[in-house]
Amino acid sequence: MPLDVLVEAVLFYKATPQKVTSLQKLFGVEDGDEWRAALDRLQSRLQSGATRLIITDTELSLTTAPELGEFIETLRKSELKGDIGKAGAETLAIILYREPITRAEIDRIRGVNSSFIIRNLLVKGLISREATGNTFQFRITPELLAHLGVSKKAELPRFSEFMNAIDSFSTTPTETV
Amino acid sequence: MPLDVLVEAVLFYKATPQKVTSLQKLFGVEDGDEWRAALDRLQSRLQSGATRLIITDTELSLTTAPELGEFIETLRKSELKGDIGKAGAETLAIILYREPITRAEIDRIRGVNSSFIIRNLLVKGLISREATGNTFQFRITPELLAHLGVSKKAELPRFSEFMNAIDSFSTTPTETV
Amino acid sequence: MAPTKSAFSIKTEHFEGPLELLIELVEKRKLLINNISLASVTDEYITHVSDMQEQSLPNTAQFIALAATLLLIKSKSLLPVLELTDEEETSIHDLEDRLRLYQIYRDISGTIVNEFGSRMMYEPEYTPPREPLFLPDDFCTLPALLEAMERTVTNLPKPTVKQVAKVRATVSLEEMMDSLRTRIEKQIKTSFFKLKQEEAEHKNVIVGFLAILELFKQGNLIITQISKFEDIEIEVDKAATPRYY
């Protein structure tokens, strides 16, 4: 069975985002060309159907296509949406373009303590955290991309333009306000 | 959106067999050529992937391909193996002390999204789920209660201390995202 | 440069952080981020912060800290002969950079607000398995669950009472301005070097100095600096007629 079909099978069966590393381990594949080619094949094969593959740095997930969003909404009993607010969107913007990132770095960019906002984003499943040493690093989740209607973050409007603009600041001094 | 894609979307999203008559009603289609053509299209499109359309006289469903049967069985067994982990134990403890409890409340107490952990606890028969209105509530299964030897909630160690800690946290205004 | 009417209209708005307020003021005037634009919004910024101070809003300390840098920028623009230390130059440069970076993230967050939830991609609905299983492990004992509960309760977020105390401990801009005014009036003539010696904390020197600048701007002081590296002499202008350097 081709790798792309096997990956699809796991994602379909589990029906929830899966860690890239555990999938690679399951199939005995390295994080290389073979893996990326399989994801590419899966992504393009799904294109003509109802499902889409969401890819983050660490996770994969199978969801309905963004064009079907309104239709699926009519099938749902409960409302899911809700607003994320200014501070939430700002924090997500930073994590999207700078993941993995610590809270201290987020605080520095925003110039304000972000612990409440981060907790709320974690509760909503829009970001995840991983322990590295004695601090946490934050990443985006497939759920966040699902809310934004894109399969990869590079598909976000003006992604590379914003990325370039941010990169030009990568040597910013570390003094705090 | 073509009819075959819409049918696939419902079957994928609902993840359970759907009545043919209610699908036809949903799409305003008669049980005729158009309907059969859509199912044919869906069936042949899925052929190259991991899922198959199952058609009975009264129901449609989406399943993994029969060739993947053995593979899926190993997946199922491995997910039953591993232990629930620290995060699983925390979630289980919260449910034990606070049942019946919604996922939103569990998430709020833990400060992270618990959906994956809750699924794992459900699969292992440690908790059960019941629908109340638009949401679900979770309880410890009678089997686990018996296993723990708990007959009355108030007899749980430090019951009121933990309840107070969580209650006072619940009334603390937390900023919304 | 007196606060305009529009300065009061933004006062009611809630700003979570100082950069958010600052960028709002700069963008409102359709300005680019540089020392000229920052100097021009300083008054309005300070009006807002003193208003926050009155309401004892959280995070005010952070707003005041940034106000010190802003006032530094403004004083340099009012008093070009003013020599800034390397540290001060750096903090000004940093502020501009951080503000520009923050502005990019603000633009991104605008697109996120637009996209969020508008084209949702849905995971399948979850249906619990039907076959009845019961697979308890080592975590499924009362002692293990008790330990897990302890951990959970310990990790609950603490209420944010401490922040209020932090705000109180910080020097307020007005306090500094007032004490300076009386001191200057008493001494008639003082110098910045003297002020600097009297203030142990560098931050207070900045705030104190800028308070003087503020008085100067309002026309209540005469400031003289003989040459670039000389001391700055300050005296109260009894006639209180505006005099500019």
Side-chain angles (χ1 to χ4, degrees), chain C residues 172-215:
Chain C
S172 86
L173 209 58
E174 290 82 358
E175 276 164 13
M176 184 56 82
M177 293 257 268
D178 278 353
S179 76
L180 263 170
R181 193 195 293 269
T182 47
R183 238 165 72 199
I184 291 164
E185 271 171 2
K186 220 188 290 169
Q187 287 180 269
I188 301 291
K189 202 168 181 184
T190 183
S191 80
F192 183 57
F193 282 179
K194 198 171 161 197
L195 271 177
K196 218 169 171 176
Q197 281 157 14
E198 284 165 12
E199 294 286 357
E201 222 182 311
H202 180 69
K203 193 167 67 187
N204 290 358
V205 176
I206 296 175
V207 176
F209 173 73
L210 294 161
I212 295 173
L213 256 292
E214 195 61 26
L215 292 173

Side-chain angles (χ1 to χ4, degrees), chain B residues 15-35:
Chain B
T16 49
Q18 300 293 304
K19 291 237 178 306
V20 172
T21 48
S22 46
L23 286 173
Q24 287 168 340
K25 203 174 139 202
L26 176 66
F27 299 119
V29 200
E30 299 283 299
D31 189 14
D33 288 346
E34 184 192 356
W35 177 252

Side-chain angles (χ1 to χ4, degrees), chain B residues 6 13 15 33 52 60 63-64 81 90 93-94 98 102 104 108 113 118 125 129-130 132 145:
Chain B
L6 291 172
Y13 176 70
D33 288 346
R52 296 290 179 271
L60 297 183
T63 64
T64 47
K81 257 191 253 162
E90 281 169 25
I94 292 168
R98 298 288 280 195
T102 63
R108 225 174 52 77
N113 190 280
I118 287 174
R129 184 178 95 157
E130 65 196 37
T132 49
L145 276 183

Side-chain angles (χ1 to χ4, degrees), chain B residues 126-154:
Chain B
L126 304 174
I127 60 171
S128 65
R129 184 178 95 157
E130 65 196 37
T132 49
N134 273 344
T135 65
F136 293 107
Q137 291 198 308
F138 298 93
R139 288 180 183 281
I140 299 291
T141 57
E143 290 87 348
L144 181 57
L145 276 183
H147 180 80
L148 296 172
V150 174
S151 52
K152 275 189 204 152
K153 277 297 147 68

